[in-house]
Amino acid sequence: MVLKIRLARFGKRNAPFYNIVVAQARTARNSKPLEVLGTYDPVPKPSPSGEGKAIKDIKLDTSRAKYWLGVGAQPSDPAWRLLSMIGLLEPKYRGQRVEEEEEGRR
């Protein structure tokens, strides 16, 4: 049984909202998952202090995410990006600018 950590879309048209779920790889995007790990709201909200950049809301049960990664669940590319933002995975694709800076340091 191949498991994937992926995003299941909810919400209205032009107002997306995603559940971060663990599901079998061959099931449909919005089918019933094995477990819901958290949520992701990609629509930027103003910061509580009113200063700085807008915030995209990510809520995740990190202990369960670590468990599923440990038993071999493969994250999809968007899920990989979210998990790397939280610090559970290494970034998959690093910007060319970052790579050039590292080469300059060597």
Side-chain angles (χ1 to χ4, degrees):
M1 174 169 62
V2 179
L3 299 175
K4 289 284 232 183
I5 298 175
R6 61 185 180 197
L7 302 180
R9 184 181 167 133
F10 292 94
K12 297 184 267 183
R13 183 176 42 187
N14 297 326
F17 186 81
Y18 297 93
N19 278 350
I20 304 167
V21 300
V22 177
Q24 292 183 5
R26 293 179 181 234
T27 59
R29 177 187 72 182
N30 288 336
S31 64
K32 186 175 180 183
L34 296 174
E35 184 175 352
V36 177
L37 299 177
T39 60
Y40 169 57
D41 187 3
V43 179
K45 307 272 188 286
S47 63
S49 64
E51 299 175 5
K53 294 172 59 175
I55 299 171
K56 295 182 180 182
D57 189 28
I58 302 172
K59 294 179 183 171
L60 182 70
D61 185 356
T62 55
S63 63
R64 293 303 294 166
K66 286 179 186 177
Y67 167 78
W68 284 110
L69 290 170
V71 297
Q74 297 294 314
S76 65
D77 288 340
W80 190 298
R81 184 176 54 83
L82 292 175
L83 293 173
S84 67
M85 288 168 62
I86 294 171
L88 295 177
L89 294 174
E90 291 293 321
K92 196 173 203 178
Y93 303 109
R94 296 173 58 172
Q96 188 174 8
R97 186 171 141 201
V98 173
E99 292 174 0
E100 290 173 358
E101 289 177 6
E102 285 183 359
E103 290 177 5
R105 292 180 191 165
R106 294 179 187 170

